[in-house]
Amino acid sequence: MEREGTDMRYEAAAALLPEELRRAALTLPPPLRCRAEELRLRAGRPMTALTGEEERPLPATVTPRLLEELCDRAAEYSRYAAAETIRQGYLSVRGGFRLGLCGTAVIKGEESTGMRQLSSAVLRIGREKTGIGRTLSPALFKNGRFLSTLLLSPPGGGKTTLLRDLVRCLSDGDGCPARRVALLDERGEVAVMCGGIPQMEVGRRTDVLDGCPKALGIPMVLRAMNPQVIAVDEITRRQDLEAMVLSAGCGVGLLATIHAADRCELEEKPLYRQLLAERVFSLAVCIRRQADGTRAYTVEELK
């Protein structure tokens, strides 16, 4: 199980905002700061804090100028250096935060090459929960061998947070045998790389490939990094599955997340039925939110 943290991460996120928005963010009562997952900014509307399923309005109206200032602050006043992720609609921010952006996409051919006239932004308050995977990690081994594992929960259920700490456990040998881990962080939400340095703790034996599609990245790390485990967040495409089948055939363990409450829901979706049929994964960890807000983990064999 996990315990709720303090509001230090919320305050650190608020510090990234322009001053008038920061003051408004800090009006959120301390008990709600611990539950805040995002600060959402839409031009012409009040800024809001997402706490669970509810968006709570805060006493500041967002303007295009404030959105541009926030983007500049997040990019450390070098949008050119951050152009590759901005064109994909986000910025990884020092300290382990992620800023999603919407506005007018600049399109050349069939690709987005940039973003202008920002209209909204969402500042994701990523929280490390170091240690939540420690008691779980031994169950992912059999006779000293890591068993490829899926982490399952509905959206917002805590898959990415658990994935991050399990990567750390595997990499550092915390509660389990240490392994070399290649982390494919396609959306920049697990390690949150900034200047080549992970802003989240992912372990000392972890190599991070940031911003690369999984179907391209998995063969790359197989060839280049000699991993014992490959970790990815959110399998969503058939190409992802095909790349994972390839890596499993090379004897590499896999750790991945999927939006599904349990195995029954997996079997309802054609892509995931194929995943089960291929027997790429041996275990599933189902994440369930308890009435008190904590989460419990159940390990199930996939046969």
Side-chain angles (χ1 to χ4, degrees):
M1 291 189 180
E2 67 181 54
R3 295 188 305 173
E4 294 294 337
T6 68
D7 64 0
M8 292 178 63
R9 290 292 291 169
Y10 181 86
E11 293 175 0
L16 297 169
L17 300 171
E19 180 61 25
E20 60 193 272
L21 297 181
R22 185 189 71 83
R23 291 196 301 268
L26 293 179
T27 65
L28 189 71
L32 293 178
R33 296 180 192 179
C34 296
R35 294 168 46 198
E37 300 170 9
E38 298 171 347
L39 289 167
R40 305 192 68 93
L41 302 89
R42 302 175 179 97
R45 303 282 185 179
M47 180 171 64
T48 63
L50 179 65
T51 57
E53 297 298 318
E54 180 185 14
E55 283 194 45
R56 298 180 65 93
L58 298 167
T61 298
V62 178
T63 66
R65 175 187 64 80
L66 290 171
L67 287 170
E68 295 291 343
E69 183 179 343
L70 172 59
C71 185
D72 284 337
R73 290 167 68 97
E76 298 182 347
Y77 298 94
S78 180
R79 292 200 198 185
Y80 176 80
E84 179 59 29
T85 60
I86 289 176
R87 76 175 183 84
Q88 298 177 57
Y90 73 93
L91 275 166
S92 294
V93 185
R94 193 177 304 278
F97 301 96
R98 188 174 187 268
L99 183 68
L101 300 168
C102 268
T104 301
V106 179
I107 303 295
K108 289 187 178 179
E110 296 183 356
E111 293 188 353
S112 169
T113 61
M115 187 84 66
R116 60 185 177 84
Q117 294 179 336
L118 297 179
S119 59
S120 60
V122 54
L123 182 58
R124 185 75 179 267
I125 306 170
R127 287 185 169 87
E128 288 185 291
K129 298 196 175 175
T130 304
I132 61 172
R134 184 178 297 125
T135 57
L136 178 62
S137 61
L140 310 185
F141 284 78
K142 184 175 182 180
N143 298 325
R145 182 174 70 89
F146 176 76
L147 302 176
S148 292
T149 301
L150 284 175
L151 308 180
L152 307 179
S153 85
K159 295 183 298 298
T160 300
T161 303
L162 179 60
L163 174 69
R164 181 186 299 121
D165 199 57
L166 285 174
V167 167
R168 182 195 63 80
C169 288
L170 291 169
S171 180
D172 288 346
D174 187 1
C176 61
R179 292 290 183 266
R180 296 185 304 277
V181 182
L183 172 60
L184 275 292
D185 198 3
E186 182 174 355
R187 300 185 306 158
E189 291 188 324
V190 185
V192 192
M193 301 293 284
C194 187
I197 299 173
Q199 300 298 292
M200 298 295 202
E201 183 52 63
V202 291
R204 62 181 179 272
R205 295 180 182 86
T206 299
D207 303 300
V208 182
L209 182 58
D210 181 57
C212 181
K214 291 179 276 292
L216 293 176
I218 289 173
M220 288 171 61
V221 297
L222 278 172
R223 289 191 298 266
M225 304 311 299
N226 186 26
Q228 294 170 298
V229 177
I230 293 176
V232 304
D233 200 13
E234 293 192 21
I235 301 172
T236 57
R237 292 169 292 191
R238 189 166 302 280
Q239 297 95 318
D240 300 343
L241 175 57
E242 292 169 353
M244 300 190 99
V245 171
L246 170 66
S247 61
C250 296
V252 176
L254 298 168
L255 180 64
T257 69
I258 284 181
H259 285 323
D262 50 32
R263 178 175 180 152
C264 291
E265 187 173 336
L266 276 181
E267 293 174 342
E268 293 173 357
K269 302 176 182 179
L271 174 62
Y272 300 146
R273 281 203 301 270
Q274 180 185 347
L275 183 148
L276 294 173
E278 295 279 358
R279 297 183 181 274
V280 175
F281 292 90
S282 300
L283 300 176
V285 175
C286 297
I287 306 171
R288 292 184 173 85
R289 186 188 291 269
Q290 310 285 41
D292 62 358
T294 62
R295 291 174 175 82
Y297 310 120
T298 304
V299 181
E300 175 185 353
E301 290 189 15
L302 296 173
K303 296 181 180 179

PDB file of all heavy atoms in Angstrom, residues 83-108:
ATOM      1  N   ALA A  83      12.460  22.633 -28.683  1.00  0.00           N
ATOM      2  CA  ALA A  83      11.544  22.623 -29.825  1.00  0.00           C
ATOM      3  C   ALA A  83      11.017  21.234 -30.148  1.00  0.00           C
ATOM      4  O   ALA A  83       9.860  21.079 -30.554  1.00  0.00           O
ATOM      5  CB  ALA A  83      12.248  23.217 -31.049  1.00  0.00           C
ATOM      6  N   GLU A  84      11.831  20.203 -29.957  1.00  0.00           N
ATOM      7  CA  GLU A  84      11.410  18.853 -30.338  1.00  0.00           C
ATOM      8  C   GLU A  84      10.215  18.383 -29.520  1.00  0.00           C
ATOM      9  O   GLU A  84       9.266  17.802 -30.062  1.00  0.00           O
ATOM     10  CB  GLU A  84      12.578  17.874 -30.165  1.00  0.00           C
ATOM     11  CG  GLU A  84      12.266  16.424 -30.512  1.00  0.00           C
ATOM     12  CD  GLU A  84      11.796  16.235 -31.950  1.00  0.00           C
ATOM     13  OE1 GLU A  84      12.203  17.035 -32.819  1.00  0.00           O
ATOM     14  OE2 GLU A  84      11.017  15.294 -32.195  1.00  0.00           O
ATOM     15  N   THR A  85      10.229  18.627 -28.202  1.00  0.00           N
ATOM     16  CA  THR A  85       9.078  18.201 -27.403  1.00  0.00           C
ATOM     17  C   THR A  85       7.913  19.185 -27.515  1.00  0.00           C
ATOM     18  O   THR A  85       6.755  18.768 -27.445  1.00  0.00           O
ATOM     19  CB  THR A  85       9.470  18.009 -25.924  1.00  0.00           C
ATOM     20  OG1 THR A  85       9.950  19.233 -25.385  1.00  0.00           O
ATOM     21  CG2 THR A  85      10.514  16.933 -25.780  1.00  0.00           C
ATOM     22  N   ILE A  86       8.198  20.477 -27.700  1.00  0.00           N
ATOM     23  CA  ILE A  86       7.102  21.442 -27.866  1.00  0.00           C
ATOM     24  C   ILE A  86       6.246  21.067 -29.071  1.00  0.00           C
ATOM     25  O   ILE A  86       5.016  21.148 -29.029  1.00  0.00           O
ATOM     26  CB  ILE A  86       7.648  22.873 -27.990  1.00  0.00           C
ATOM     27  CG1 ILE A  86       8.201  23.353 -26.638  1.00  0.00           C
ATOM     28  CG2 ILE A  86       6.562  23.833 -28.466  1.00  0.00           C
ATOM     29  CD1 ILE A  86       8.859  24.717 -26.684  1.00  0.00           C
ATOM     30  N   ARG A  87       6.887  20.635 -30.147  1.00  0.00           N
ATOM     31  CA  ARG A  87       6.088  20.260 -31.327  1.00  0.00           C
ATOM     32  C   ARG A  87       5.212  19.048 -31.041  1.00  0.00           C
ATOM     33  O   ARG A  87       4.203  18.825 -31.710  1.00  0.00           O
ATOM     34  CB  ARG A  87       7.005  19.996 -32.533  1.00  0.00           C
ATOM     35  CG  ARG A  87       7.738  18.679 -32.515  1.00  0.00           C
ATOM     36  CD  ARG A  87       8.515  18.451 -33.800  1.00  0.00           C
ATOM     37  NE  ARG A  87       9.180  17.157 -33.824  1.00  0.00           N
ATOM     38  CZ  ARG A  87       8.579  16.034 -34.181  1.00  0.00           C
ATOM     39  NH1 ARG A  87       7.314  16.039 -34.547  1.00  0.00           N
ATOM     40  NH2 ARG A  87       9.242  14.885 -34.174  1.00  0.00           N
ATOM     41  N   GLN A  88       5.584  18.252 -30.037  1.00  0.00           N
ATOM     42  CA  GLN A  88       4.759  17.111 -29.635  1.00  0.00           C
ATOM     43  C   GLN A  88       3.737  17.492 -28.560  1.00  0.00           C
ATOM     44  O   GLN A  88       2.946  16.662 -28.121  1.00  0.00           O
ATOM     45  CB  GLN A  88       5.647  15.980 -29.114  1.00  0.00           C
ATOM     46  CG  GLN A  88       6.604  15.432 -30.155  1.00  0.00           C
ATOM     47  CD  GLN A  88       7.511  14.364 -29.575  1.00  0.00           C
ATOM     48  OE1 GLN A  88       7.057  13.349 -29.039  1.00  0.00           O
ATOM     49  NE2 GLN A  88       8.811  14.582 -29.655  1.00  0.00           N
ATOM     50  N   GLY A  89       3.784  18.768 -28.122  1.00  0.00           N
ATOM     51  CA  GLY A  89       2.764  19.250 -27.219  1.00  0.00           C
ATOM     52  C   GLY A  89       3.100  19.193 -25.744  1.00  0.00           C
ATOM     53  O   GLY A  89       2.195  19.284 -24.910  1.00  0.00           O
ATOM     54  N   TYR A  90       4.373  19.092 -25.398  1.00  0.00           N
ATOM     55  CA  TYR A  90       4.704  19.083 -23.973  1.00  0.00           C
ATOM     56  C   TYR A  90       6.129  19.560 -23.747  1.00  0.00           C
ATOM     57  O   TYR A  90       6.943  19.649 -24.674  1.00  0.00           O
ATOM     58  CB  TYR A  90       4.517  17.686 -23.369  1.00  0.00           C
ATOM     59  CG  TYR A  90       5.580  16.683 -23.764  1.00  0.00           C
ATOM     60  CD1 TYR A  90       6.702  16.477 -22.975  1.00  0.00           C
ATOM     61  CD2 TYR A  90       5.457  15.923 -24.916  1.00  0.00           C
ATOM     62  CE1 TYR A  90       7.674  15.562 -23.324  1.00  0.00           C
ATOM     63  CE2 TYR A  90       6.427  15.002 -25.287  1.00  0.00           C
ATOM     64  CZ  TYR A  90       7.535  14.823 -24.481  1.00  0.00           C
ATOM     65  OH  TYR A  90       8.503  13.917 -24.843  1.00  0.00           O
ATOM     66  N   LEU A  91       6.426  19.834 -22.483  1.00  0.00           N
ATOM     67  CA  LEU A  91       7.770  20.181 -22.032  1.00  0.00           C
ATOM     68  C   LEU A  91       8.072  19.399 -20.766  1.00  0.00           C
ATOM     69  O   LEU A  91       7.247  19.363 -19.843  1.00  0.00           O
ATOM     70  CB  LEU A  91       7.870  21.671 -21.707  1.00  0.00           C
ATOM     71  CG  LEU A  91       8.155  22.652 -22.832  1.00  0.00           C
ATOM     72  CD1 LEU A  91       7.874  24.069 -22.352  1.00  0.00           C
ATOM     73  CD2 LEU A  91       9.601  22.528 -23.282  1.00  0.00           C
ATOM     74  N   SER A  92       9.224  18.755 -20.693  1.00  0.00           N
ATOM     75  CA  SER A  92       9.694  18.185 -19.441  1.00  0.00           C
ATOM     76  C   SER A  92      10.402  19.287 -18.663  1.00  0.00           C
ATOM     77  O   SER A  92      11.250  19.993 -19.211  1.00  0.00           O
ATOM     78  CB  SER A  92      10.665  17.019 -19.702  1.00  0.00           C
ATOM     79  OG  SER A  92       9.982  15.947 -20.319  1.00  0.00           O
ATOM     80  N   VAL A  93      10.049  19.430 -17.395  1.00  0.00           N
ATOM     81  CA  VAL A  93      10.484  20.583 -16.616  1.00  0.00           C
ATOM     82  C   VAL A  93      11.386  20.125 -15.474  1.00  0.00           C
ATOM     83  O   VAL A  93      11.114  19.110 -14.820  1.00  0.00           O
ATOM     84  CB  VAL A  93       9.271  21.353 -16.044  1.00  0.00           C
ATOM     85  CG1 VAL A  93       9.726  22.616 -15.329  1.00  0.00           C
ATOM     86  CG2 VAL A  93       8.287  21.690 -17.159  1.00  0.00           C
ATOM     87  N   ARG A  94      12.475  20.865 -15.272  1.00  0.00           N
ATOM     88  CA  ARG A  94      13.394  20.553 -14.190  1.00  0.00           C
ATOM     89  C   ARG A  94      12.627  20.424 -12.862  1.00  0.00           C
ATOM     90  O   ARG A  94      11.764  21.236 -12.550  1.00  0.00           O
ATOM     91  CB  ARG A  94      14.463  21.649 -14.074  1.00  0.00           C
ATOM     92  CG  ARG A  94      15.644  21.263 -13.186  1.00  0.00           C
ATOM     93  CD  ARG A  94      16.684  22.376 -13.205  1.00  0.00           C
ATOM     94  NE  ARG A  94      17.137  22.711 -14.550  1.00  0.00           N
ATOM     95  CZ  ARG A  94      18.075  22.038 -15.206  1.00  0.00           C
ATOM     96  NH1 ARG A  94      18.642  20.989 -14.645  1.00  0.00           N
ATOM     97  NH2 ARG A  94      18.427  22.418 -16.431  1.00  0.00           N
ATOM     98  N   GLY A  95      12.965  19.397 -12.110  1.00  0.00           N
ATOM     99  CA  GLY A  95      12.259  19.139 -10.861  1.00  0.00           C
ATOM    100  C   GLY A  95      11.280  17.990 -10.969  1.00  0.00           C
ATOM    101  O   GLY A  95      10.687  17.575  -9.979  1.00  0.00           O
ATOM    102  N   GLY A  96      11.080  17.455 -12.198  1.00  0.00           N
ATOM    103  CA  GLY A  96      10.219  16.297 -12.360  1.00  0.00           C
ATOM    104  C   GLY A  96       8.779  16.622 -12.704  1.00  0.00           C
ATOM    105  O   GLY A  96       7.885  15.829 -12.403  1.00  0.00           O
ATOM    106  N   PHE A  97       8.547  17.767 -13.362  1.00  0.00           N
ATOM    107  CA  PHE A  97       7.204  18.152 -13.756  1.00  0.00           C
ATOM    108  C   PHE A  97       7.073  18.049 -15.278  1.00  0.00           C
ATOM    109  O   PHE A  97       8.074  17.986 -16.000  1.00  0.00           O
ATOM    110  CB  PHE A  97       6.880  19.574 -13.291  1.00  0.00           C
ATOM    111  CG  PHE A  97       6.987  19.742 -11.808  1.00  0.00           C
ATOM    112  CD1 PHE A  97       8.154  20.236 -11.235  1.00  0.00           C
ATOM    113  CD2 PHE A  97       5.945  19.380 -10.985  1.00  0.00           C
ATOM    114  CE1 PHE A  97       8.266  20.375  -9.860  1.00  0.00           C
ATOM    115  CE2 PHE A  97       6.048  19.516  -9.609  1.00  0.00           C
ATOM    116  CZ  PHE A  97       7.203  20.007  -9.044  1.00  0.00           C
ATOM    117  N   ARG A  98       5.825  18.059 -15.740  1.00  0.00           N
ATOM    118  CA  ARG A  98       5.572  17.970 -17.177  1.00  0.00           C
ATOM    119  C   ARG A  98       4.493  18.984 -17.533  1.00  0.00           C
ATOM    120  O   ARG A  98       3.448  19.021 -16.895  1.00  0.00           O
ATOM    121  CB  ARG A  98       5.112  16.556 -17.543  1.00  0.00           C
ATOM    122  CG  ARG A  98       4.998  16.268 -19.041  1.00  0.00           C
ATOM    123  CD  ARG A  98       4.690  14.787 -19.218  1.00  0.00           C
ATOM    124  NE  ARG A  98       4.726  14.374 -20.600  1.00  0.00           N
ATOM    125  CZ  ARG A  98       3.661  14.358 -21.412  1.00  0.00           C
ATOM    126  NH1 ARG A  98       2.498  14.783 -20.962  1.00  0.00           N
ATOM    127  NH2 ARG A  98       3.765  13.930 -22.654  1.00  0.00           N
ATOM    128  N   LEU A  99       4.768  19.801 -18.536  1.00  0.00           N
ATOM    129  CA  LEU A  99       3.830  20.833 -18.967  1.00  0.00           C
ATOM    130  C   LEU A  99       3.257  20.448 -20.318  1.00  0.00           C
ATOM    131  O   LEU A  99       3.971  20.387 -21.315  1.00  0.00           O
ATOM    132  CB  LEU A  99       4.536  22.188 -19.066  1.00  0.00           C
ATOM    133  CG  LEU A  99       3.650  23.381 -19.431  1.00  0.00           C
ATOM    134  CD1 LEU A  99       2.674  23.692 -18.293  1.00  0.00           C
ATOM    135  CD2 LEU A  99       4.501  24.593 -19.764  1.00  0.00           C
ATOM    136  N   GLY A 100       1.962  20.154 -20.354  1.00  0.00           N
ATOM    137  CA  GLY A 100       1.273  19.902 -21.617  1.00  0.00           C
ATOM    138  C   GLY A 100       0.781  21.203 -22.206  1.00  0.00           C
ATOM    139  O   GLY A 100       0.359  22.113 -21.485  1.00  0.00           O
ATOM    140  N   LEU A 101       0.818  21.317 -23.534  1.00  0.00           N
ATOM    141  CA  LEU A 101       0.498  22.578 -24.210  1.00  0.00           C
ATOM    142  C   LEU A 101      -0.542  22.359 -25.307  1.00  0.00           C
ATOM    143  O   LEU A 101      -0.519  21.340 -26.014  1.00  0.00           O
ATOM    144  CB  LEU A 101       1.755  23.174 -24.847  1.00  0.00           C
ATOM    145  CG  LEU A 101       2.915  23.510 -23.897  1.00  0.00           C
ATOM    146  CD1 LEU A 101       4.177  23.811 -24.697  1.00  0.00           C
ATOM    147  CD2 LEU A 101       2.543  24.690 -22.996  1.00  0.00           C
ATOM    148  N   CYS A 102      -1.446  23.314 -25.449  1.00  0.00           N
ATOM    149  CA  CYS A 102      -2.371  23.363 -26.578  1.00  0.00           C
ATOM    150  C   CYS A 102      -2.355  24.773 -27.153  1.00  0.00           C
ATOM    151  O   CYS A 102      -2.158  25.747 -26.428  1.00  0.00           O
ATOM    152  CB  CYS A 102      -3.788  23.005 -26.148  1.00  0.00           C
ATOM    153  SG  CYS A 102      -4.187  21.256 -26.305  1.00  0.00           S
ATOM    154  N   GLY A 103      -2.587  24.852 -28.434  1.00  0.00           N
ATOM    155  CA  GLY A 103      -2.631  26.133 -29.122  1.00  0.00           C
ATOM    156  C   GLY A 103      -2.832  25.870 -30.597  1.00  0.00           C
ATOM    157  O   GLY A 103      -3.526  24.935 -30.984  1.00  0.00           O
ATOM    158  N   THR A 104      -2.211  26.669 -31.425  1.00  0.00           N
ATOM    159  CA  THR A 104      -2.284  26.477 -32.872  1.00  0.00           C
ATOM    160  C   THR A 104      -1.062  25.698 -33.324  1.00  0.00           C
ATOM    161  O   THR A 104       0.073  26.165 -33.190  1.00  0.00           O
ATOM    162  CB  THR A 104      -2.343  27.829 -33.603  1.00  0.00           C
ATOM    163  OG1 THR A 104      -3.488  28.554 -33.148  1.00  0.00           O
ATOM    164  CG2 THR A 104      -2.434  27.627 -35.109  1.00  0.00           C
ATOM    165  N   ALA A 105      -1.295  24.502 -33.826  1.00  0.00           N
ATOM    166  CA  ALA A 105      -0.184  23.672 -34.294  1.00  0.00           C
ATOM    167  C   ALA A 105       0.335  24.203 -35.629  1.00  0.00           C
ATOM    168  O   ALA A 105      -0.437  24.614 -36.496  1.00  0.00           O
ATOM    169  CB  ALA A 105      -0.631  22.217 -34.443  1.00  0.00           C
ATOM    170  N   VAL A 106       1.642  24.198 -35.772  1.00  0.00           N
ATOM    171  CA  VAL A 106       2.281  24.570 -37.035  1.00  0.00           C
ATOM    172  C   VAL A 106       2.539  23.275 -37.803  1.00  0.00           C
ATOM    173  O   VAL A 106       3.277  22.405 -37.346  1.00  0.00           O
ATOM    174  CB  VAL A 106       3.602  25.319 -36.783  1.00  0.00           C
ATOM    175  CG1 VAL A 106       4.262  25.686 -38.116  1.00  0.00           C
ATOM    176  CG2 VAL A 106       3.358  26.570 -35.946  1.00  0.00           C
ATOM    177  N   ILE A 107       1.894  23.126 -38.955  1.00  0.00           N
ATOM    178  CA  ILE A 107       1.930  21.877 -39.697  1.00  0.00           C
ATOM    179  C   ILE A 107       2.702  22.059 -41.002  1.00  0.00           C
ATOM    180  O   ILE A 107       2.469  23.019 -41.745  1.00  0.00           O
ATOM    181  CB  ILE A 107       0.508  21.369 -40.019  1.00  0.00           C
ATOM    182  CG1 ILE A 107      -0.310  21.205 -38.729  1.00  0.00           C
ATOM    183  CG2 ILE A 107       0.563  20.058 -40.791  1.00  0.00           C
ATOM    184  CD1 ILE A 107       0.211  20.159 -37.791  1.00  0.00           C
ATOM    185  N   LYS A 108       3.624  21.153 -41.257  1.00  0.00           N
ATOM    186  CA  LYS A 108       4.314  21.078 -42.551  1.00  0.00           C
ATOM    187  C   LYS A 108       4.174  19.651 -43.055  1.00  0.00           C
ATOM    188  O   LYS A 108       4.573  18.701 -42.379  1.00  0.00           O
ATOM    189  CB  LYS A 108       5.784  21.451 -42.409  1.00  0.00           C
ATOM    190  CG  LYS A 108       6.004  22.932 -42.126  1.00  0.00           C
ATOM    191  CD  LYS A 108       7.482  23.294 -42.157  1.00  0.00           C
ATOM    192  CE  LYS A 108       7.684  24.793 -41.913  1.00  0.00           C
ATOM    193  NZ  LYS A 108       9.121  25.161 -41.908  1.00  0.00           N
TER     194      LYS A 108
END
